[in-house]
Amino acid sequence: FSAYLKQLGFIPNPHDTCVFNKDFRGKQCTLVLYVDDCFVDCEHAAALDYVEQKITERYGGCTRHDGDVLPFLGVMMDFTEKGVVTFSMPAFVDEIVRNAEVATIADTPAGNNLFYIEETSPKLSKEASDAFHSETAKLLYLAKRTRVDILLPVSFLCTRVREPTEDDLRKLKRVHRYLAGTADLPLRLSISDDYLFTAYVDASYAVHEDMKSHSGMVYTAGGGTFLAKSTKQSVVSKSSTEAEVIAASDGCNDLLSLMEFINFQTGRQGKAVLFQDNTSAIHLEKNGKSSSNKTKHMKIRYFWVKDKVASGELEIQHLPTDSMWADMLTKPLQGELFKKFRACVLNLP
């Protein structure tokens, strides 16, 4: 199919070769390909007819959906609000909640003891373990597409699928209870007029049982989160500053790659800004590897960020902790602070 699209004059985006573009009467026609599904967009409606015609000629037909509300890969995309795309998965969430047989609801998806592993908690049976693994996978699918607000506990649960315990199951059910009370929350995306790409990067130091830290990243190009990560770091850091530098190095790589993708799509040069709340980490990232005994052990690969700052590709700015969106992806926040960041990452009105 890719070869056929190229024959028709579509050019793949080098930063994601499943995204194709073609000029159609002076307007860009974009086609996103996923196996045998594709999403096509153009200001000229005739471009959609053209694509359908060519697919039918080559492959014998296709099923077409038009309108302001469209399903794609299990996600409902709503374009009715000007300048905003709203993503939701209502049927998928309803199925999860219904199968979980939720009796009560929770205000947040995780309790304060999320990272604590109860060693004496009984292990689940083989059947229950398989069910735990399946439910965790479903939640991950949801969290990576529309529900950034559950990504932190789901990320932790993914580390527990090999030998889950009754305590892990309680944490899983906490996510189910939260979803039951927030089933209709969507993700709203919009892009800024100045094409400003921002990454909110945070780290929680040594919160895992093996003393590894946890990174959280939120990426936005205006309103809402178009990519988020909540991951256990692969190395043990010796300080909170080191944990923040590791998170920034990983976050910078994603931010610049995503910006290059959008730049190719739009033909406009955007600006990348990385926000952190740790001033010591920012100092190291701007100045490079330190000779201090506290930081000279850190691997040089983490300081490639300095080169990006020096070249003007990236700007690093300090942000107070109470404004750091990624804080909700590194620690189980509660109450109004959680709701505040949830509204930010989902771009809720």
Side-chain angles (χ1 to χ4, degrees):
F1 194 21
S2 297
Y4 181 51
L5 290 174
K6 292 175 185 177
Q7 291 176 21
L8 297 177
F10 281 90
I11 300 172
N13 186 317
H15 307 289
D16 188 336
T17 54
C18 287
V19 177
F20 297 82
N21 300 290
K22 174 183 171 68
D23 180 81
F24 191 90
R25 300 178 185 174
K27 297 295 183 179
Q28 180 170 289
C29 177
T30 296
L31 185 150
V32 180
L33 174 64
Y34 187 87
V35 192
D36 61 349
D37 290 296
C38 59
F39 178 85
V40 188
D41 175 69
C42 186
E43 288 187 44
H44 289 308
L48 309 185
D49 298 330
Y50 168 80
V51 172
E52 181 183 18
Q53 175 190 344
K54 292 301 179 181
I55 291 176
T56 300
E57 289 177 0
R58 182 64 175 265
Y59 300 106
C62 63
T63 301
R64 174 173 166 177
H65 300 274
D66 290 286
D68 292 331
V69 181
L70 297 168
F72 188 61
L73 305 177
V75 179
M76 296 302 298
M77 301 185 294
D78 189 330
F79 295 88
T80 54
E81 182 180 353
K82 185 177 180 180
V84 176
V85 185
T86 300
F87 299 85
S88 62
M89 301 176 69
F92 192 69
V93 174
D94 287 345
E95 178 187 354
I96 290 175
V97 172
R98 185 174 62 254
N99 291 342
E101 298 180 347
V102 175
T104 59
I105 62 173
D107 291 332
T108 60
N112 290 320
N113 66 337
L114 174 65
F115 291 115
Y116 174 72
I117 297 176
E118 191 176 311
E119 299 292 349
T120 58
S121 181
K123 293 182 180 179
L124 299 180
S125 66
K126 176 64 168 60
E127 181 180 2
S129 294
D130 291 343
F132 178 92
H133 196 161
S134 176
E135 286 302 308
T136 300
K138 290 178 183 178
L139 292 175
L140 181 62
Y141 187 85
L142 175 66
K144 297 294 285 185
R145 282 154 181 80
T146 63
R147 294 299 298 268
V148 184
D149 50 326
I150 67 169
L151 187 55
L152 174 64
V154 173
S155 174
F156 172 79
L157 292 171
C158 286
T159 69
R160 303 294 299 164
V161 294
R162 286 184 177 273
E163 294 184 324
T165 65
E166 290 184 3
D167 183 55
D168 296 323
L169 183 59
R170 284 191 289 270
K171 293 172 181 175
L172 174 68
K173 290 184 177 296
R174 171 69 176 254
V175 182
H176 286 155
R177 290 166 51 213
Y178 170 74
L179 283 177
T182 60
D184 59 344
L185 286 184
L187 168 65
R188 302 170 71 253
L189 294 185
S190 60
I191 194 164
S192 62
D193 293 334
D194 57 1
Y195 281 67
L196 177 64
F197 298 84
T198 55
Y200 296 78
V201 178
D202 193 34
S204 286
Y205 174 60
V207 293
H208 290 278
E209 288 291 303
D210 56 5
M211 302 308 294
K212 290 180 180 177
S213 302
H214 199 92
S215 296
M217 300 95 160
V218 174
Y219 305 89
T220 180
T225 304
F226 63 88
L227 179 66
K229 291 188 175 183
S230 180
T231 60
K232 180 180 180 180
Q233 293 186 357
S234 60
V235 297
V236 175
S237 53
K238 291 187 176 182
S239 66
S240 59
T241 295
E242 181 178 359
E244 294 273 1
V245 170
I246 293 171
S249 177
D250 295 339
C252 174
N253 185 51
D254 289 326
L255 176 62
L256 294 176
S257 296
L258 291 163
M259 186 181 71
E260 289 173 352
F261 168 78
I262 298 295
N263 286 347
F264 184 89
Q265 285 299 113
T266 62
R268 295 178 57 177
Q269 187 65 36
K271 179 182 178 182
V273 177
L274 188 146
F275 290 120
Q276 282 187 285
D277 60 4
N278 187 303
T279 54
S280 297
I282 293 174
H283 176 79
L284 284 173
E285 291 151 10
K286 288 184 175 181
N287 295 283
K289 193 168 176 66
S290 171
S291 59
S292 167
N293 287 333
K294 293 183 179 180
T295 57
K296 65 181 182 180
H297 67 281
M298 293 172 63
K299 293 182 179 180
I300 193 69
R301 70 184 180 91
Y302 297 126
F303 293 97
W304 74 284
V305 177
K306 177 183 180 297
D307 295 334
K308 298 300 179 182
V309 173
S311 68
E313 295 178 66
L314 176 71
E315 181 180 334
I316 299 179
Q317 295 182 13
H318 177 262
L319 198 67
T321 300
D322 60 4
S323 298
M324 173 51 67
W325 297 7
D327 202 35
M328 71 178 300
L329 299 183
T330 62
K331 55 184 70 70
L333 302 179
Q334 306 297 322
E336 293 304 314
L337 187 58
F338 172 79
K339 292 179 181 178
K340 171 186 174 181
F341 288 146
R342 180 181 66 187
C344 292
V345 299
L346 296 179
N347 193 24
L348 301 178

PDB file of all heavy atoms in Angstrom, residues 86-104:
ATOM      1  N   THR A  86     -11.462  16.510  19.783  1.00  0.00           N
ATOM      2  CA  THR A  86     -11.749  15.820  21.044  1.00  0.00           C
ATOM      3  C   THR A  86     -11.702  14.312  20.819  1.00  0.00           C
ATOM      4  O   THR A  86     -12.365  13.796  19.925  1.00  0.00           O
ATOM      5  CB  THR A  86     -13.136  16.225  21.575  1.00  0.00           C
ATOM      6  OG1 THR A  86     -13.155  17.638  21.808  1.00  0.00           O
ATOM      7  CG2 THR A  86     -13.434  15.505  22.884  1.00  0.00           C
ATOM      8  N   PHE A  87     -10.897  13.636  21.633  1.00  0.00           N
ATOM      9  CA  PHE A  87     -10.732  12.187  21.528  1.00  0.00           C
ATOM     10  C   PHE A  87     -11.376  11.515  22.739  1.00  0.00           C
ATOM     11  O   PHE A  87     -11.191  11.957  23.877  1.00  0.00           O
ATOM     12  CB  PHE A  87      -9.247  11.815  21.494  1.00  0.00           C
ATOM     13  CG  PHE A  87      -8.498  12.388  20.333  1.00  0.00           C
ATOM     14  CD1 PHE A  87      -7.968  13.662  20.384  1.00  0.00           C
ATOM     15  CD2 PHE A  87      -8.313  11.643  19.171  1.00  0.00           C
ATOM     16  CE1 PHE A  87      -7.266  14.198  19.312  1.00  0.00           C
ATOM     17  CE2 PHE A  87      -7.618  12.162  18.094  1.00  0.00           C
ATOM     18  CZ  PHE A  87      -7.092  13.446  18.165  1.00  0.00           C
ATOM     19  N   SER A  88     -12.089  10.438  22.502  1.00  0.00           N
ATOM     20  CA  SER A  88     -12.685   9.679  23.598  1.00  0.00           C
ATOM     21  C   SER A  88     -12.850   8.226  23.183  1.00  0.00           C
ATOM     22  O   SER A  88     -12.845   7.902  22.003  1.00  0.00           O
ATOM     23  CB  SER A  88     -14.039  10.273  24.007  1.00  0.00           C
ATOM     24  OG  SER A  88     -14.949  10.212  22.929  1.00  0.00           O
ATOM     25  N   MET A  89     -12.983   7.353  24.175  1.00  0.00           N
ATOM     26  CA  MET A  89     -13.200   5.926  23.928  1.00  0.00           C
ATOM     27  C   MET A  89     -14.329   5.443  24.823  1.00  0.00           C
ATOM     28  O   MET A  89     -14.133   4.590  25.696  1.00  0.00           O
ATOM     29  CB  MET A  89     -11.906   5.143  24.202  1.00  0.00           C
ATOM     30  CG  MET A  89     -10.726   5.594  23.345  1.00  0.00           C
ATOM     31  SD  MET A  89      -9.168   4.753  23.734  1.00  0.00           S
ATOM     32  CE  MET A  89      -9.525   3.089  23.153  1.00  0.00           C
ATOM     33  N   PRO A  90     -15.534   5.970  24.661  1.00  0.00           N
ATOM     34  CA  PRO A  90     -16.634   5.670  25.584  1.00  0.00           C
ATOM     35  C   PRO A  90     -16.998   4.194  25.650  1.00  0.00           C
ATOM     36  O   PRO A  90     -17.226   3.650  26.745  1.00  0.00           O
ATOM     37  CB  PRO A  90     -17.797   6.510  25.035  1.00  0.00           C
ATOM     38  CG  PRO A  90     -17.436   6.773  23.603  1.00  0.00           C
ATOM     39  CD  PRO A  90     -15.956   6.885  23.580  1.00  0.00           C
ATOM     40  N   ALA A  91     -17.072   3.519  24.510  1.00  0.00           N
ATOM     41  CA  ALA A  91     -17.451   2.105  24.512  1.00  0.00           C
ATOM     42  C   ALA A  91     -16.403   1.257  25.222  1.00  0.00           C
ATOM     43  O   ALA A  91     -16.734   0.322  25.969  1.00  0.00           O
ATOM     44  CB  ALA A  91     -17.648   1.619  23.079  1.00  0.00           C
ATOM     45  N   PHE A  92     -15.139   1.583  25.005  1.00  0.00           N
ATOM     46  CA  PHE A  92     -14.050   0.824  25.621  1.00  0.00           C
ATOM     47  C   PHE A  92     -14.049   1.010  27.137  1.00  0.00           C
ATOM     48  O   PHE A  92     -13.898   0.041  27.897  1.00  0.00           O
ATOM     49  CB  PHE A  92     -12.718   1.279  25.024  1.00  0.00           C
ATOM     50  CG  PHE A  92     -11.550   0.395  25.353  1.00  0.00           C
ATOM     51  CD1 PHE A  92     -11.445  -0.882  24.820  1.00  0.00           C
ATOM     52  CD2 PHE A  92     -10.548   0.848  26.194  1.00  0.00           C
ATOM     53  CE1 PHE A  92     -10.363  -1.690  25.119  1.00  0.00           C
ATOM     54  CE2 PHE A  92      -9.458   0.043  26.503  1.00  0.00           C
ATOM     55  CZ  PHE A  92      -9.371  -1.234  25.962  1.00  0.00           C
ATOM     56  N   VAL A  93     -14.234   2.249  27.589  1.00  0.00           N
ATOM     57  CA  VAL A  93     -14.270   2.526  29.030  1.00  0.00           C
ATOM     58  C   VAL A  93     -15.470   1.836  29.674  1.00  0.00           C
ATOM     59  O   VAL A  93     -15.352   1.229  30.748  1.00  0.00           O
ATOM     60  CB  VAL A  93     -14.316   4.046  29.304  1.00  0.00           C
ATOM     61  CG1 VAL A  93     -14.501   4.317  30.798  1.00  0.00           C
ATOM     62  CG2 VAL A  93     -13.047   4.716  28.804  1.00  0.00           C
ATOM     63  N   ASP A  94     -16.620   1.912  29.027  1.00  0.00           N
ATOM     64  CA  ASP A  94     -17.824   1.267  29.569  1.00  0.00           C
ATOM     65  C   ASP A  94     -17.618  -0.239  29.718  1.00  0.00           C
ATOM     66  O   ASP A  94     -18.057  -0.838  30.709  1.00  0.00           O
ATOM     67  CB  ASP A  94     -19.020   1.546  28.661  1.00  0.00           C
ATOM     68  CG  ASP A  94     -19.509   2.979  28.758  1.00  0.00           C
ATOM     69  OD1 ASP A  94     -19.119   3.661  29.720  1.00  0.00           O
ATOM     70  OD2 ASP A  94     -20.270   3.410  27.866  1.00  0.00           O
ATOM     71  N   GLU A  95     -16.962  -0.848  28.744  1.00  0.00           N
ATOM     72  CA  GLU A  95     -16.706  -2.286  28.804  1.00  0.00           C
ATOM     73  C   GLU A  95     -15.798  -2.635  29.982  1.00  0.00           C
ATOM     74  O   GLU A  95     -16.034  -3.603  30.709  1.00  0.00           O
ATOM     75  CB  GLU A  95     -16.062  -2.758  27.503  1.00  0.00           C
ATOM     76  CG  GLU A  95     -15.726  -4.251  27.499  1.00  0.00           C
ATOM     77  CD  GLU A  95     -14.932  -4.661  26.271  1.00  0.00           C
ATOM     78  OE1 GLU A  95     -14.728  -3.819  25.367  1.00  0.00           O
ATOM     79  OE2 GLU A  95     -14.494  -5.827  26.220  1.00  0.00           O
ATOM     80  N   ILE A  96     -14.748  -1.824  30.180  1.00  0.00           N
ATOM     81  CA  ILE A  96     -13.820  -2.063  31.297  1.00  0.00           C
ATOM     82  C   ILE A  96     -14.553  -1.971  32.626  1.00  0.00           C
ATOM     83  O   ILE A  96     -14.419  -2.835  33.501  1.00  0.00           O
ATOM     84  CB  ILE A  96     -12.653  -1.053  31.247  1.00  0.00           C
ATOM     85  CG1 ILE A  96     -11.733  -1.347  30.060  1.00  0.00           C
ATOM     86  CG2 ILE A  96     -11.846  -1.095  32.549  1.00  0.00           C
ATOM     87  CD1 ILE A  96     -10.631  -0.323  29.861  1.00  0.00           C
ATOM     88  N   VAL A  97     -15.319  -0.907  32.798  1.00  0.00           N
ATOM     89  CA  VAL A  97     -16.027  -0.680  34.064  1.00  0.00           C
ATOM     90  C   VAL A  97     -17.087  -1.753  34.295  1.00  0.00           C
ATOM     91  O   VAL A  97     -17.242  -2.271  35.408  1.00  0.00           O
ATOM     92  CB  VAL A  97     -16.664   0.726  34.075  1.00  0.00           C
ATOM     93  CG1 VAL A  97     -17.553   0.900  35.299  1.00  0.00           C
ATOM     94  CG2 VAL A  97     -15.585   1.808  34.042  1.00  0.00           C
ATOM     95  N   ARG A  98     -17.806  -2.125  33.229  1.00  0.00           N
ATOM     96  CA  ARG A  98     -18.858  -3.136  33.353  1.00  0.00           C
ATOM     97  C   ARG A  98     -18.268  -4.492  33.758  1.00  0.00           C
ATOM     98  O   ARG A  98     -18.790  -5.170  34.652  1.00  0.00           O
ATOM     99  CB  ARG A  98     -19.629  -3.251  32.041  1.00  0.00           C
ATOM    100  CG  ARG A  98     -20.821  -4.198  32.104  1.00  0.00           C
ATOM    101  CD  ARG A  98     -21.637  -4.163  30.835  1.00  0.00           C
ATOM    102  NE  ARG A  98     -20.873  -4.595  29.670  1.00  0.00           N
ATOM    103  CZ  ARG A  98     -20.421  -3.781  28.735  1.00  0.00           C
ATOM    104  NH1 ARG A  98     -20.660  -2.473  28.828  1.00  0.00           N
ATOM    105  NH2 ARG A  98     -19.733  -4.247  27.708  1.00  0.00           N
ATOM    106  N   ASN A  99     -17.185  -4.888  33.118  1.00  0.00           N
ATOM    107  CA  ASN A  99     -16.558  -6.180  33.429  1.00  0.00           C
ATOM    108  C   ASN A  99     -15.952  -6.198  34.823  1.00  0.00           C
ATOM    109  O   ASN A  99     -15.842  -7.255  35.447  1.00  0.00           O
ATOM    110  CB  ASN A  99     -15.484  -6.503  32.393  1.00  0.00           C
ATOM    111  CG  ASN A  99     -16.066  -6.803  31.024  1.00  0.00           C
ATOM    112  OD1 ASN A  99     -17.260  -7.100  30.906  1.00  0.00           O
ATOM    113  ND2 ASN A  99     -15.248  -6.720  29.997  1.00  0.00           N
ATOM    114  N   ALA A 100     -15.549  -5.024  35.315  1.00  0.00           N
ATOM    115  CA  ALA A 100     -14.935  -4.942  36.647  1.00  0.00           C
ATOM    116  C   ALA A 100     -15.977  -4.996  37.761  1.00  0.00           C
ATOM    117  O   ALA A 100     -15.625  -5.170  38.933  1.00  0.00           O
ATOM    118  CB  ALA A 100     -14.115  -3.668  36.756  1.00  0.00           C
ATOM    119  N   GLU A 101     -17.236  -4.823  37.394  1.00  0.00           N
ATOM    120  CA  GLU A 101     -18.337  -4.854  38.368  1.00  0.00           C
ATOM    121  C   GLU A 101     -18.063  -3.890  39.523  1.00  0.00           C
ATOM    122  O   GLU A 101     -18.056  -4.254  40.701  1.00  0.00           O
ATOM    123  CB  GLU A 101     -18.545  -6.279  38.894  1.00  0.00           C
ATOM    124  CG  GLU A 101     -18.936  -7.268  37.801  1.00  0.00           C
ATOM    125  CD  GLU A 101     -19.146  -8.673  38.336  1.00  0.00           C
ATOM    126  OE1 GLU A 101     -18.749  -8.931  39.485  1.00  0.00           O
ATOM    127  OE2 GLU A 101     -19.726  -9.506  37.611  1.00  0.00           O
ATOM    128  N   VAL A 102     -17.843  -2.642  39.165  1.00  0.00           N
ATOM    129  CA  VAL A 102     -17.500  -1.609  40.150  1.00  0.00           C
ATOM    130  C   VAL A 102     -18.710  -1.272  41.010  1.00  0.00           C
ATOM    131  O   VAL A 102     -19.805  -1.024  40.493  1.00  0.00           O
ATOM    132  CB  VAL A 102     -16.982  -0.353  39.429  1.00  0.00           C
ATOM    133  CG1 VAL A 102     -16.732   0.764  40.431  1.00  0.00           C
ATOM    134  CG2 VAL A 102     -15.710  -0.672  38.658  1.00  0.00           C
ATOM    135  N   ALA A 103     -18.497  -1.246  42.336  1.00  0.00           N
ATOM    136  CA  ALA A 103     -19.582  -0.935  43.260  1.00  0.00           C
ATOM    137  C   ALA A 103     -19.492   0.492  43.787  1.00  0.00           C
ATOM    138  O   ALA A 103     -20.510   1.135  44.056  1.00  0.00           O
ATOM    139  CB  ALA A 103     -19.571  -1.921  44.432  1.00  0.00           C
ATOM    140  N   THR A 104     -18.275   1.003  43.949  1.00  0.00           N
ATOM    141  CA  THR A 104     -18.070   2.369  44.441  1.00  0.00           C
ATOM    142  C   THR A 104     -17.091   3.083  43.514  1.00  0.00           C
ATOM    143  O   THR A 104     -16.458   2.457  42.667  1.00  0.00           O
ATOM    144  CB  THR A 104     -17.506   2.374  45.866  1.00  0.00           C
ATOM    145  OG1 THR A 104     -16.242   1.671  45.877  1.00  0.00           O
ATOM    146  CG2 THR A 104     -18.461   1.684  46.825  1.00  0.00           C
TER     147      THR A 104
END
